[in-house]
Coordinates of all heavy atoms in Angstrom, one line a residue:
V1 N 93.3 83.5 146.2 CA 93.9 84.8 146.3 C 95.4 84.7 146.1 O 96.1 83.9 146.8 CB 93.6 85.4 147.7 CG1 94.2 86.8 147.9 CG2 92.1 85.5 147.9
F2 N 95.9 85.6 145.3 CA 97.4 85.6 145.0 C 97.9 87.0 145.3 O 97.3 88.0 144.9 CB 97.6 85.3 143.5 CG 97.1 83.9 143.1 CD1 95.8 83.8 142.6 CD2 97.8 82.8 143.3 CE1 95.2 82.6 142.3 CE2 97.3 81.5 142.9 CZ 96.0 81.5 142.4
E3 N 99.0 87.1 146.0 CA 99.5 88.4 146.4 C 100.9 88.6 145.9 O 101.7 87.6 145.9 CB 99.4 88.6 147.9 CG 98.0 88.6 148.5 CD 98.0 88.8 150.0 OE1 99.1 88.9 150.6 OE2 96.9 88.8 150.6
E4 N 101.2 89.8 145.5 CA 102.6 90.2 145.2 C 102.9 91.3 146.2 O 102.2 91.5 147.2 CB 102.7 90.8 143.8 CG 102.3 89.7 142.7 CD 102.3 90.3 141.3 OE1 103.0 91.4 141.1 OE2 101.7 89.7 140.4
Q5 N 104.0 92.0 146.0 CA 104.4 93.1 146.9 C 103.4 94.2 147.1 O 103.0 94.6 148.2 CB 105.7 93.7 146.5 CG 106.3 94.6 147.5 CD 107.7 95.1 147.2 OE1 108.2 94.7 146.1 NE2 108.3 95.9 148.0
N6 N 102.9 94.7 146.0 CA 101.9 95.7 146.0 C 100.7 95.4 145.1 O 100.1 96.3 144.5 CB 102.5 97.1 145.5 CG 103.6 97.5 146.4 OD1 103.5 97.6 147.7 ND2 104.8 97.8 145.9
Y7 N 100.3 94.1 145.1 CA 99.2 93.7 144.2 C 98.5 92.5 144.8 O 99.1 91.6 145.4 CB 99.9 93.4 142.8 CG 98.9 92.9 141.8 CD1 98.2 93.8 141.1 CD2 98.8 91.5 141.5 CE1 97.3 93.4 140.1 CE2 97.9 91.1 140.5 CZ 97.2 92.0 139.8 OH 96.3 91.6 138.8
R8 N 97.2 92.5 144.6 CA 96.4 91.3 145.0 C 95.4 91.0 144.0 O 94.6 91.8 143.5 CB 95.7 91.7 146.3 CG 94.9 90.6 147.0 CD 94.3 91.1 148.3 NE 93.7 90.1 149.2 CZ 92.5 89.8 149.1 NH1 91.6 90.4 148.2 NH2 92.0 88.8 149.9
R9 N 95.3 89.7 143.6 CA 94.4 89.2 142.6 C 93.6 88.1 143.2 O 94.1 87.1 143.8 CB 95.1 88.7 141.4 CG 94.2 88.1 140.3 CD 93.4 89.2 139.7 NE 94.1 89.8 138.6 CZ 93.7 90.9 138.0 NH1 92.6 91.5 138.4 NH2 94.4 91.5 137.0
Q10 N 92.2 88.2 143.2 CA 91.3 87.2 143.7 C 90.6 86.6 142.5 O 90.0 87.3 141.7 CB 90.4 87.8 144.7 CG 89.5 86.7 145.4 CD 88.7 87.3 146.5 OE1 88.8 88.4 146.9 NE2 87.9 86.4 147.2
I11 N 90.5 85.2 142.5 CA 89.8 84.5 141.5 C 88.7 83.6 142.1 O 89.0 82.9 143.0 CB 90.9 83.6 140.7 CG1 91.9 84.5 140.0 CG2 90.1 82.7 139.7 CD1 93.0 83.7 139.3
H12 N 87.6 83.7 141.5 CA 86.4 82.8 141.8 C 86.2 81.8 140.8 O 86.1 82.1 139.6 CB 85.2 83.6 142.0 CG 85.2 84.5 143.3 ND1 84.1 85.3 143.6 CD2 86.0 84.6 144.3 CE1 84.4 85.9 144.8 NE2 85.6 85.4 145.2
V13 N 86.2 80.5 141.2 CA 85.9 79.4 140.3 C 84.5 78.9 140.5 O 84.1 78.7 141.6 CB 86.9 78.3 140.5 CG1 86.7 77.1 139.5 CG2 88.4 78.8 140.4
G14 N 83.8 78.8 139.4 CA 82.3 78.4 139.5 C 82.1 77.0 139.0 O 82.9 76.1 139.2
H15 N 80.9 76.8 138.5 CA 80.5 75.4 138.0 C 81.3 75.0 136.8 O 81.8 75.8 136.0 CB 79.0 75.4 137.7 CG 78.1 75.7 138.9 ND1 78.3 75.1 140.1 CD2 77.1 76.6 139.1 CE1 77.4 75.6 141.0 NE2 76.7 76.5 140.4
H16 N 81.3 73.7 136.5 CA 81.7 73.2 135.3 C 80.7 73.4 134.2 O 79.5 73.4 134.5 CB 82.0 71.7 135.4 CG 83.3 71.3 136.1 ND1 83.5 71.5 137.4 CD2 84.5 70.9 135.6 CE1 84.7 71.1 137.7 NE2 85.4 70.8 136.6
T17 N 81.1 73.5 133.0 CA 80.2 73.6 131.9 C 79.5 72.3 131.7 O 80.1 71.3 132.1 CB 80.9 74.1 130.6 OG1 82.0 73.1 130.3 CG2 81.5 75.5 130.8
P18 N 78.4 72.2 131.0 CA 77.7 70.9 130.8 C 78.6 69.7 130.3 O 78.5 68.6 130.8 CB 76.6 71.2 129.8 CG 76.3 72.7 130.1 CD 77.6 73.3 130.4
P19 N 79.5 69.9 129.4 CA 80.4 68.8 129.0 C 81.3 68.4 130.1 O 81.8 67.2 130.1 CB 81.2 69.3 127.8 CG 80.4 70.5 127.3 CD 79.8 71.1 128.5
G20 N 81.7 69.3 131.0 CA 82.5 68.9 132.2 C 84.0 69.2 132.0 O 84.7 69.1 133.0
D21 N 84.4 69.5 130.8 CA 85.9 69.8 130.6 C 86.3 71.2 130.7 O 87.4 71.6 130.5 CB 86.3 69.2 129.2 CG 85.5 69.8 128.1 OD1 84.5 70.5 128.3 OD2 86.0 69.7 126.9
Q22 N 85.3 72.1 130.9 CA 85.6 73.5 131.1 C 84.9 74.0 132.4 O 84.0 73.3 132.9 CB 85.1 74.3 129.9 CG 85.9 74.0 128.6 CD 85.3 74.8 127.4 OE1 84.1 74.9 127.2 NE2 86.2 75.4 126.7
V23 N 85.3 75.2 132.8 CA 84.8 75.7 134.1 C 84.6 77.2 134.0 O 85.4 77.9 133.2 CB 85.7 75.4 135.3 CG1 87.1 76.1 135.2 CG2 85.1 75.6 136.6
Y24 N 83.7 77.8 134.7 CA 83.5 79.2 134.7 C 84.4 79.9 135.7 O 84.6 79.3 136.8 CB 82.0 79.6 135.0 CG 81.0 79.1 134.1 CD1 80.2 78.0 134.4 CD2 80.9 79.7 132.8 CE1 79.3 77.5 133.5 CE2 80.0 79.2 131.9 CZ 79.2 78.1 132.2 OH 78.3 77.6 131.3
L25 N 85.0 81.0 135.3 CA 86.0 81.6 136.2 C 85.8 83.2 136.1 O 85.5 83.7 135.1 CB 87.4 81.3 135.7 CG 88.6 81.8 136.5 CD1 89.7 80.8 136.5 CD2 89.1 83.1 135.8
Q26 N 85.9 83.8 137.3 CA 85.7 85.2 137.4 C 86.9 85.8 138.2 O 87.2 85.3 139.2 CB 84.4 85.6 138.0 CG 84.1 87.1 138.1 CD 82.8 87.4 138.7 OE1 82.5 87.1 139.8 NE2 81.9 88.1 138.0
I27 N 87.5 86.9 137.7 CA 88.5 87.7 138.4 C 87.8 88.8 139.1 O 87.2 89.7 138.4 CB 89.6 88.2 137.4 CG1 90.3 86.9 136.8 CG2 90.6 89.0 138.2 CD1 91.3 87.3 135.8
V28 N 87.9 88.8 140.4 CA 87.2 89.9 141.2 C 87.7 91.2 140.8 O 88.9 91.5 140.7 CB 87.4 89.6 142.7 CG1 86.7 90.7 143.5 CG2 86.8 88.3 143.1
G29 N 86.7 92.1 140.4 CA 87.1 93.5 140.1 C 87.0 93.7 138.6 O 86.9 94.9 138.1
L30 N 87.0 92.6 137.8 CA 86.9 92.8 136.3 C 85.5 92.6 135.8 O 85.2 93.0 134.7 CB 87.9 91.8 135.6 CG 89.3 92.0 135.9 CD1 90.2 91.1 135.0 CD2 89.8 93.5 135.7
G31 N 84.6 91.9 136.6 CA 83.2 91.9 136.2 C 82.8 90.7 135.3 O 81.8 90.0 135.7
G32 N 83.4 90.5 134.2 CA 83.0 89.4 133.3 C 83.3 88.0 133.8 O 83.9 87.8 134.9
I33 N 82.9 87.0 133.0 CA 83.2 85.6 133.4 C 83.9 84.9 132.2 O 83.4 85.1 131.0 CB 81.9 84.9 133.7 CG1 81.3 85.4 135.1 CG2 82.1 83.4 133.8 CD1 80.0 84.8 135.5
Y34 N 84.9 84.2 132.5 CA 85.6 83.4 131.5 C 85.3 82.0 131.5 O 85.0 81.4 132.6 CB 87.1 83.6 131.7 CG 87.7 85.0 131.7 CD1 87.7 85.8 132.9 CD2 88.1 85.6 130.5 CE1 88.2 87.1 132.9 CE2 88.6 86.9 130.5 CZ 88.6 87.6 131.7 OH 89.1 88.9 131.7
V35 N 85.3 81.3 130.4 CA 85.1 79.9 130.3 C 86.5 79.3 129.9 O 87.0 79.6 128.8 CB 84.1 79.5 129.2 CG1 84.0 78.0 129.1 CG2 82.7 80.1 129.5
V36 N 87.1 78.6 130.8 CA 88.4 78.1 130.7 C 88.5 76.6 130.8 O 87.6 75.9 131.3 CB 89.4 78.7 131.7 CG1 89.4 80.2 131.6 CG2 89.0 78.3 133.1
D37 N 89.6 76.0 130.3 CA 89.8 74.6 130.5 C 89.9 74.2 131.9 O 90.5 74.9 132.7 CB 91.1 74.2 129.7 CG 91.3 72.7 129.7 OD1 91.8 72.1 130.7 OD2 90.9 72.1 128.6
A38 N 89.3 73.1 132.3 CA 89.2 72.7 133.7 C 90.4 71.8 134.2 O 90.5 71.5 135.3 CB 87.9 71.9 134.0
E39 N 91.4 71.5 133.3 CA 92.5 70.6 133.6 C 93.3 71.2 134.8 O 93.8 70.4 135.6 CB 93.3 70.4 132.4 CG 94.4 69.4 132.5 CD 93.9 68.0 132.6 OE1 92.7 67.7 132.3 OE2 94.6 67.1 133.1
W40 N 93.5 72.5 134.8 CA 94.3 73.1 135.9 C 93.8 72.9 137.3 O 94.5 73.0 138.3 CB 94.6 74.6 135.6 CG 93.3 75.4 135.8 CD1 92.3 75.6 134.9 CD2 92.9 76.1 137.0 NE1 91.4 76.4 135.4 CE2 91.7 76.7 136.7 CE3 93.4 76.2 138.2 CZ2 91.0 77.5 137.6 CZ3 92.8 77.0 139.2 CH2 91.5 77.6 138.9
L41 N 92.5 72.6 137.4 CA 91.9 72.3 138.7 C 92.6 71.2 139.4 O 92.5 71.1 140.7 CB 90.4 72.1 138.6 CG 89.6 73.3 138.1 CD1 88.1 72.9 138.0 CD2 89.7 74.5 139.0

């Protein structure tokens, strides 16, 4: 959960993809799911 003065963003991190170098990510309120690089974890 990240907060600004009048803003709040919540991010859910899911499982790794089968190769293991990517991860599923969802931004609460936007609905869809992104596949992103897992290095930032």
Side-chain angles (χ1 to χ4, degrees):
V1 177
F2 304 89
E3 295 182 359
E4 300 177 19
Q5 185 174 2
N6 298 307
Y7 179 80
R8 186 176 188 269
R9 176 70 84 192
Q10 184 171 1
I11 296 175
H12 286 178
V13 182
H15 298 310
H16 282 73
T17 57
D21 59 343
Q22 293 178 316
V23 68
Y24 298 108
L25 180 148
Q26 184 179 57
I27 298 178
V28 176
L30 297 187
I33 292 178
Y34 300 89
V35 178
V36 302
D37 189 276
E39 188 69 17
W40 68 273
L41 295 177

